[in-house]
Amino acid sequence: MKNTIAERVADFIKNFPPFDLLDKSQLLDLSKEVKISYLDKESTVYNINDPLHDQFYMIYKGAVKLKKYINEKLETIDQFDEGDVFGLRPLFAKENYAITSITEEETILYCIPIDIFTPFIDNNKDVRQYLIESFASNTENPFSNEFQKKLLEDDVKLDFTKDMFEMQPVRLIKNVITTKKTSSIKEAAQLMTENNVGSIIIEDKECPIGIITDKDLRLHVATGNYSINDDVSKIMISPVKCYKKNITIAQAQITMMKHKINQIVVTKDGTPSSKILGVFSEHDIIVMKGTNPSVLMKAIKRSNSTKELKRIREKIMMLLDGYIQQNIPLTHINNIIFELNDASIKRVVERCIEKMDQAPPVKFAWMSLGSQGRKEQLLHTDQDNAIVFENTDDDHLEEVRTYFLTLAKKVNKRLKMIGFDYCPGEMMAKNPKYCLSIDEWENQFSSWTRETEDDELLLCSIFFDFALTYGDINLTNQLADHIIEITKGNLIFQSKLGASSLRSPSPLGFFRQFLVEQDGEHKDHFDLKKRAIMPVTDAGRLLALHYQIKHINNTAERFEKLAELLPEDQELFYSCAYASKALLKFRTKRGLRHHDSGRFIALAELSKEEKMKLKRCFKAINKVQELVKLKFNLKNFI
């Protein structure tokens, strides 16, 4: 006899994490044990200091508020709605509840027994990870050492080779050529010829039941063992070796060698009993080696044309896409993509120098600014750069500058051709304002820190983040030392820089509502850069200057260094480092998916899990902004 209530419960919870990670039988078994609770408005689910329940909760209808005492007043710190899970403390802590939970309206809760659900946590890493993150995002300090270890455990365990080629997911051929088992061998061979493929899948109800390759035709038909009029079922290989999506190159190569095959079929659940998603072969892996970082680096250094560099840049984006799909830690992605981008820019500079009538008249350095200077430029965005050159006497200064401006125009033009758009604000080396001698640059930075109006503060936020791409490192080191010197103890400048950083609007309004754009081209979209990435980046830069941290420009690395220097705020700074990486990865994934900058997000496209992860990042942003207000006496800043 069917359990109708259990089926209804399963039908609802399967749409939300972490239950969407369970299979049908697991969902139904769990749903049979779920209790349903009907609560009026303002009903208490549990109070602060109550003993832990033997269940956690999912909202079927209604909404729930989480409350905590702040300055001796019970304040609402969060709000949950349909599909959210809460009350996870019994899963991860032995202490009594630390938060009060109250219904905001009439609410129906699904009560999930912990003893029934625990085996799913133990046996499913993804379920465990989601619940840890969900619990962490609703604790008073979601980035304690305990949670930090759990949240980052995958990063700690991973041990990649230098280029990580084998860790990339294979790229599927999604336009799979199929036929039925009743088709003749001749018909199958004709389909293979017409579509120029080396294999054909035999399917039944979109599931793979067999495969035929060129090799099978040679072994069984060309030898006369079977007629071309026989059914394909006579020569097909069955069962088919299948895998889930995102199988890595290493897994694929091992599987092919172990089973002596050269094609693998990818299906929805990794078995022959589910829908075909794609296929790949040994040949596809050979082709993919063109996006091996080591191969790309060699190709960049050997390149002799802008068109060639443009093609390499396209392969770099393919590499990035593969790393993001495989969920490789952002630290590794950043390092590799930065080095490849940096090498591309360096090669452009080298080739442009070769095209000049003479060698550089004095030593110089090409500086990458902004996101590239912070090793955070993953997607194709605009170029920000500058030139610093060695001091020369007044009689030759403009002559030297003219040389470097001519060089910069060539470089900026070719960088645009390979995918780095022009900066809308003209913050490029071809602009005479940003092609200066070392003395001029030092005077310029000193001026910006004295005349701290909005324009100067904006320029500081861009030009303080620079990295040497080509040239004399002594020049950029001298400039970095000068910046540290002029900002040391300069609390007036630091306070104004702090006030400027707080002008980036909060990511959230009341409760958990994302603040979206109210008008313009991106109306009703969330601006991830302005409301989330910029605030954490600005705070990292400001605190790095305040604590005199040299030669570290990457936002996450700045916060990690701050955590080392200031153990009393260690957990907050680790949370900011995590947020910086998570937001950049999130933007990159959206940009790759939509073929744009990833900056503006349609909230309807976000899953519950994505919103939860963003919310955790926003908490870190709010806390570090509160720290900035306190440290730089900006408590009344609105």
Side-chain angles (χ1 to χ4, degrees):
M1 183 176 178
K2 287 188 175 182
N3 187 333
T4 306
I5 294 177
E7 288 181 347
R8 288 179 180 174
V9 171
D11 194 51
F12 177 78
I13 68 176
K14 71 180 182 183
N15 298 310
F16 302 96
F19 307 104
D20 58 350
L21 300 168
L22 306 179
D23 61 35
K24 289 182 180 179
S25 62
Q26 290 174 322
L27 280 170
L28 191 56
D29 288 345
L30 176 64
S31 298
K32 289 176 182 177
E33 306 298 330
V34 169
K35 297 176 184 176
I36 301 174
S37 178
Y38 301 84
L39 299 174
D40 291 328
K41 182 179 180 179
E42 298 297 325
S43 296
T44 300
V45 183
Y46 50 80
N47 270 312
I48 294 174
N49 294 324
D50 276 358
L52 299 179
H53 296 180
D54 59 1
Q55 59 197 12
F56 67 98
Y57 303 93
M58 182 180 195
I59 302 173
Y60 173 65
K61 295 284 185 184
V64 170
K65 295 179 288 188
L66 298 185
K67 297 193 169 220
K68 190 173 183 68
Y69 282 102
I70 301 175
N71 297 327
E72 299 183 353
K73 183 178 180 182
L74 195 62
E75 302 276 4
T76 298
I77 61 170
D78 216 335
Q79 180 181 25
F80 287 166
D81 53 25
E82 293 174 7
D84 283 328
V85 293
F86 69 99
L88 297 170
R89 192 171 187 82
L91 289 169
F92 301 107
K94 295 181 180 179
E95 302 88 355
N96 292 346
Y97 286 106
I99 296 173
T100 291
S101 171
I102 300 174
T103 58
E104 190 177 23
E105 56 192 66
E106 289 186 12
T107 299
I108 301 175
L109 297 179
Y110 287 162
C111 310
I112 296 100
I114 287 171
D115 60 339
I116 301 296
F117 194 74
T118 298
F120 298 124
I121 300 175
D122 295 338
N123 299 324
N124 191 317
K125 174 186 170 185
D126 293 331
V127 170
R128 182 170 65 252
Q129 188 75 4
Y130 176 82
L131 290 174
I132 288 172
E133 292 181 353
S134 185
F135 178 45
S137 67
N138 292 293
T139 58
E140 172 63 15
N141 192 341
F143 294 91
S144 65
N145 288 333
E146 176 186 0
F147 289 129
Q148 192 68 20
K149 182 178 178 182
K150 289 179 179 177
L151 289 170
L152 300 180
E153 63 180 357
D154 289 344
D155 286 21
V156 173
K157 290 179 182 178
L158 287 169
D159 180 19
F160 296 104
T161 59
K162 185 176 180 181
D163 59 36
M164 295 193 292
F165 172 67
E166 288 79 10
M167 296 307 299
Q168 294 181 65
V170 295
R171 284 191 286 277
L172 299 183
I173 304 299
K174 295 181 180 179
N175 185 23
V176 181
I177 307 303
T178 65
T179 190
K180 301 293 184 182
K181 67 177 179 180
T182 54
S183 300
S184 69
I185 294 172
K186 179 180 179 181
E187 290 169 335
Q190 286 173 335
L191 278 172
M192 291 166 66
T193 302
E194 289 168 6
N195 292 278
N196 193 29
V197 294
S199 65
I200 188 167
I201 308 299
I202 319 304
E203 58 91 10
D204 182 35
K205 297 179 181 177
E206 296 188 323
C207 298
I209 60 172
I211 185 171
I212 292 175
T213 68
D214 284 334
K215 182 180 178 181
D216 299 317
L217 294 176
R218 293 196 308 272
L219 287 176
H220 302 300
V221 182
T223 57
N225 292 332
Y226 292 94
S227 164
I228 61 172
N229 296 315
D230 285 337
D231 288 349
V232 291
S233 58
K234 295 287 184 66
I235 68 167
M236 71 182 186
I237 300 170
S238 182
V240 181
K241 192 64 184 174
C242 298
Y243 260 95
K244 284 185 179 180
K245 190 178 179 182
N246 286 342
I247 175 177
T248 65
I249 289 172
Q251 289 174 305
Q253 289 175 322
I254 291 170
T255 298
M256 289 177 179
M257 286 188 288
K258 179 180 178 181
H259 297 282
K260 296 181 180 179
I261 56 177
N262 56 15
Q263 266 100 1
I264 292 179
V265 178
V266 172
T267 59
K268 188 173 182 180
D269 68 3
T271 74
S273 301
S274 62
K275 183 179 178 180
I276 301 166
L277 298 180
V279 65
F280 61 90
S281 66
E282 282 183 323
H283 174 73
D284 298 322
I285 292 176
I286 292 170
V287 171
M288 281 189 68
K289 285 189 176 179
T291 56
N292 179 341
S294 297
V295 173
L296 289 174
M297 185 63 80
K298 291 175 184 176
I300 290 167
K301 291 179 178 180
R302 291 195 307 261
S303 64
N304 286 311
S305 74
T306 305
K307 286 184 179 180
E308 190 177 353
L309 270 176
K310 183 179 180 181
R311 287 194 295 270
I312 295 170
R313 283 275 300 156
E314 290 167 355
K315 290 184 178 181
I316 293 172
M317 296 309 293
M318 292 169 63
L319 178 71
L320 172 63
D321 193 16
Y323 284 167
I324 291 292
Q325 285 186 42
Q326 187 57 26
N327 202 29
I328 288 172
L330 194 74
T331 301
H332 298 284
I333 298 175
N334 260 350
N335 290 338
I336 289 175
I337 301 302
F338 168 77
E339 294 297 345
L340 291 171
N341 281 341
D342 210 49
S344 300
I345 298 168
K346 182 177 180 179
R347 184 60 185 144
V348 170
V349 176
E350 288 173 343
R351 292 191 64 248
C352 288
I353 290 174
E354 293 169 4
K355 292 178 180 295
M356 296 290 285
D357 294 334
Q358 65 180 86
V362 295
K363 294 178 182 177
F364 80 103
W366 182 278
M367 300 186 294
S368 293
L369 313 173
S371 58
Q372 176 64 11
R374 292 190 301 272
K375 299 184 182 180
E376 294 168 3
Q377 189 178 58
L378 297 179
L379 296 169
H380 282 174
T381 55
D382 56 283
Q383 52 178 298
D384 296 305
N385 42 59
I387 284 179
V388 54
F389 54 86
E390 200 173 30
N391 291 325
T392 184
D393 58 80
D394 292 344
D395 292 341
H396 295 92
L397 178 59
E398 293 310 314
E399 179 184 340
V400 170
R401 193 190 323 278
T402 299
Y403 174 92
F404 286 117
L405 284 172
T406 303
L407 172 64
K409 287 175 183 177
K410 292 179 182 291
V411 174
N412 289 144
K413 178 181 177 181
R414 283 159 180 78
L415 288 179
K416 184 179 187 301
M417 291 170 66
I418 69 171
F420 296 98
D421 289 338
Y422 284 142
C423 172
E426 288 290 315
M427 294 177 192
M428 295 177 288
K430 68 175 184 175
N431 186 334
K433 293 181 181 179
Y434 311 125
C435 180
L436 306 174
S437 69
I438 183 65
D439 278 354
E440 289 175 323
W441 269 119
E442 289 183 355
N443 291 335
Q444 181 65 84
F445 277 114
S446 296
S447 174
W448 285 342
T449 56
R450 288 194 305 267
E451 301 167 13
T452 47
E453 298 301 323
D454 288 347
D455 288 345
E456 285 77 16
L457 292 170
L458 173 62
L459 290 168
C460 286
S461 70
I462 295 171
F463 283 84
F464 277 9
D465 297 338
F466 62 81
L468 172 70
T469 295
Y470 179 93
D472 191 339
I473 193 172
N474 293 315
L475 292 170
T476 51
N477 282 346
Q478 183 177 335
L479 198 53
D481 290 340
H482 178 72
I483 291 172
I484 290 294
E485 182 183 340
I486 61 175
T487 55
K488 183 178 181 180
N490 189 345
L491 294 180
I492 294 176
F493 169 72
Q494 291 177 22
S495 295
K496 290 188 176 181
L497 200 61
S500 177
S501 74
L502 296 174
R503 288 176 188 154
S504 297
S506 170
L508 297 176
F510 291 110
F511 301 120
R512 301 189 309 137
Q513 299 301 314
F514 286 66
L515 293 179
V516 297
E517 300 303 292
Q518 298 300 310
D519 49 38
E521 180 185 354
H522 301 288
K523 187 176 185 294
D524 296 328
H525 282 63
F526 180 74
D527 188 340
L528 187 69
K529 177 182 177 181
K530 183 173 72 175
R531 294 188 184 274
I533 294 176
M534 281 180 59
V536 73
T537 302
D538 290 345
R541 181 189 307 109
L542 170 62
L543 292 170
L545 285 172
H546 179 74
Y547 289 104
Q548 301 283 281
I549 297 173
K550 292 172 59 176
H551 306 306
I552 299 179
N553 290 342
N554 179 264
T555 303
E557 291 176 8
R558 280 171 166 165
F559 280 114
E560 287 162 0
K561 185 65 177 179
L562 287 164
E564 178 186 324
L565 295 175
L566 304 164
E568 66 272 19
D569 290 315
Q570 184 180 77
E571 291 171 355
L572 170 59
F573 292 141
Y574 277 137
S575 75
C576 292
Y578 176 93
S580 173
K581 295 176 186 177
L583 291 168
L584 181 56
K585 192 168 188 177
F586 189 86
R587 180 180 179 180
T588 303
K589 290 174 74 171
R590 308 296 296 187
L592 290 170
R593 184 182 305 171
H594 297 288
H595 306 289
D596 59 19
S597 70
R599 175 172 177 172
F600 294 96
I601 300 171
L603 294 182
E605 295 180 5
L606 297 182
S607 67
K608 285 280 184 183
E609 184 174 5
E610 287 174 324
K611 288 181 179 178
M612 181 273 291
K613 288 182 176 181
L614 284 176
K615 181 185 73 172
R616 187 173 69 249
C617 295
F618 298 163
K619 285 188 174 184
I621 293 169
N622 289 337
K623 286 191 174 185
V624 78
Q625 287 193 325
E626 288 300 319
L627 177 68
V628 167
K629 290 179 187 178
L630 183 64
K631 185 167 290 294
F632 298 100
N633 197 25
L634 302 169
K635 286 181 267 189
N636 296 324
F637 185 87
I638 298 176

